[in-house]
Amino acid sequence: MSSLQITDYVRRPGIGRLGRPVQVRSNYFEITKLPGITIHHYDMTITPDVPTPVNRKIFNEFIKRYRESDLDGTHPVYDGRKNLFSPKKLPFGDSRTFEVTLPGESGPRRQAPIFKIKVRKAATINLEELHWFLQAKSPLTNNILTSIMSLDVLIRHKPSMTHTTIGRAFYTSAAKCSLAGPLEAWRGYYQSVRPCMGKMMINVDVAATAFFQSGPLIDLVVKILGLRHPDDLRRAPGAVNWVRVDKQIKGLRIQVDHRQKAKRMLKIFGLTKTSARETTFSMSNDRNNPPGTQGSEVTVDIVSYFKETYNITLSYPDLPCVSVGKTVILPIEVCRVVEGQRCDKKLDERQTADMIKFTSQTPNARANNIKDGIRLLNYDSNEHLHDFGMKVSREMATIKARVLPPPTIMFDPACHDSKVTPRDGSWNLKGKRLVHGATLGSWGVVVFGSERDAPNIQVQNFVREVVVSCCEVGIIILNKNPQISYLNPHGSIESNLKLAWIQAGNAVKSQPQLMVCILPNTGTPLYAEIKRVTDTVLGVSSQCIQMKHTRDPKKQYCANVCLKINVKLGGMNTHLLPEQLPFFASKPILILGGDVSHPQPGDTVRPSIASLVGSMDKRMFRYAATIRVQTARTETIADLIDMTVELLKTFYQSCGEKPERIVFYRDGVSEGQFAQVLKIEIAAVRAACQRVEANYRPLLTFIVVQKRHHTRFFPLRPSEGDRLGNCHPGTVIDTEIVHPFEFDFFLQSHAGLLGTSRPAHYCVLLDDSKLSPDELQDFSYKLCHLYARCTRSVSVVPPAYYAHLVAARARFHSRGEFYSDTTSAGSVEAFTSGETSSYMSVRPELKKVMWFM
């Protein structure tokens, strides 16, 4: 059977041998016994249509009521949407409709809704085909996909019925911590069935997400506003930012305190524009009329109504009320937020910092938490797994791995210490000079603030330290006393920065090559506008510095700034010896990196941004970038032909020859998009080559780089890990937990600074060069040492990293954006005043330097 019949992608050519053999544990748990039965697949339709959590409640009632009488006592499993799987055929034939009501949904004036459940036979699933697939003897078919889905639903069913479930993870409030404002972080557990080499395994990992704090709604309002006590609302209710509160609480589910029997959940539609004292409604005055007669209409305010009807004196009559329906209005103080409501809005800077503290765990702590999750899942006593005849190991998989040798990093051969071998994924610049130090003749320094914020002598001292550091590493600074300007951070950034740029150029009679901008904070608005103006209006490289670093400039910080300045001016920091990459150095090679950045969830205004970067020299260090704006949420790079042609021409202009090989590292593609990318993007790269020259057909290798996964590795013994307990940089895994037969591998190329390191997952979709696993793994690992702005190996290959940076930077290139002050500079969250923003192009002067660093 040929490989084409097995897979449309590259079949694994073998197993890598390079490197020091080690054993590691991974958060995969083997399914030791797959169901040996025929699984029956049913389509389940619930009407009226309700959200997934309600579907699960309905299913729970359905099972309670009908399992023994109509389902033959079986334990079917349900995905919360449409799919039901049963270990045996249900006894009612091909289709039947049932009726269910939910407890607690009825009341004196309200009848509980009746839900109709239609269960219809969809298919039978024979797992024999899945066994053939795991043994690399069958292609991936729809039947195999459904088999894997049924096992996924099987392991997730029980926790999803008893815990808050989001995607493939379930969460518990047993382990939580408060975040800034009205939020708290809950710990949870992710689980997913994965086909691996010769067996099925379950990937189990810890997860965390943000939820709104449950309890009195008024306490939540206080936290949204950053106040200390509800009494603070009494003092100046008119000055409170109720628009902010309305935006945060809209959509939350609440219950009421004033009616003990009413446990039904209500959804907040928004705040009233008037206070409880001022909000009135009409009601029938039936109390003083004889029975059988209709009372007159009276107008009553909320405060009086609650006093007369429930004998409740509202403590906060001057606060607005919440609207929970077309005619239902409730005071804030009688509402209680229901537990388990996820916050799907972007976290602000403080909340993100709190979340990182909560989720950052040493490898040993994470491994122990995963074991806690296995105990909580308790596969052994799961009646559903028992019914299906499936068994799962309680022990983490122990797998064979290898640690690849690090490359030799080359600096200027004229310096004393021109070669260095990284140790634990890092090296330093002490006593070294960059391979090609750029020359900086004309530049300016702009302080966004007053001399009171950053005195002139402080700025001069910082500039002096940067100049000294630049000279030490080989950057030639012709003008050591650049023009220093002070600008108002709240004024017109474009006109003021343009004026400072002109003044800096006039001081030395030469157009500035660099503007160093000293910023008062980490907020996005100022940073974004500086980058828009320098990238798209002035066409000059910019280097932003936090003001706090100018007060006591550290040597290491200044050295890192030098690395960024050098590449922004067209210099080269380091390179690898050609003999370290014999296969790739023998012929000219173009390294491409691609990514597509999408707008925030719920954003219907902004487009997606596609980025492509390409190497500009044989040493694979310097990269050029090109950007396109495309239709929102388009997953593939729409204009890839023109973008590739652009970078092929740049490579030819720089190297004087066309590349004979192209290696494309594609970021941001999920497994479900592989076929689409293979069909569209690979064809686009080939078409671009033929547009350059009709018979031009370089060998193409196309690799998807994934970071959003839950695979983690843990050293078998503490002595085999680094100082934090992570696996050593260069750890590569291409057996046991990888795809049954396609060409993929995991590579942990960096030394983590915090928490548990996440390896990158490399999936080869096309390989004209017929690379061996050792060649591709070694090449990818060595590339990770050529990231321009630090002296460490990084977690993904630089072209994929750069493509991500470029797409994020391009978000700032639109005129007319307004950014939230609470958003960090690395974020791209923004909102627009109504019109679609126009995205401006990067100036041609910058396109041959690494302006995006």
Side-chain angles (χ1 to χ4, degrees), residues 35 73 75 108 122 150 198 239 257 269 355 380 428-429 434 514 530 547 600 618 684 728 775 790-791 826 830 853:
H75 290 96
S150 69
D257 286 338
F269 286 93
M355 180 65 90
D380 289 346
N428 64 58
L429 287 174
L434 305 180
L514 177 72
I530 289 170
M547 196 174 285
Q600 296 292 328
K618 295 177 181 177
H728 286 289
E775 286 171 331
C790 66
T791 54
M853 296 302 291

Side-chain angles (χ1 to χ4, degrees), residues 23-27 367 371 396-399 712-716:
Q23 283 193 316
V24 298
R25 288 180 301 149
S26 184
N27 56 337
K371 291 175 183 176
M396 277 191 187
T398 300
I399 52 181
R712 299 293 185 275
F713 300 121
F714 308 94
L716 209 54

Side-chain angles (χ1 to χ4, degrees), residues 15 19 66 172 260 344 370 443 447 466 485 543 566 590 594 626 671 725 761 787 802 818 847:
I15 302 299
Y66 295 106
T172 168
Q260 295 302 318
D344 56 5
I370 291 169
W443 57 307
V447 182
V466 171
S485 307
Q543 179 60 52
N566 192 50
L590 170 65
T626 181
E671 290 173 359
H761 186 205
Y787 185 62
Y802 294 153
F818 300 92
K847 289 200 171 180

Side-chain angles (χ1 to χ4, degrees), residues 426-438:
S426 67
W427 59 97
N428 64 58
L429 287 174
K430 190 174 181 180
K432 302 172 186 67
R433 295 168 66 87
L434 305 180
V435 171
H436 174 238

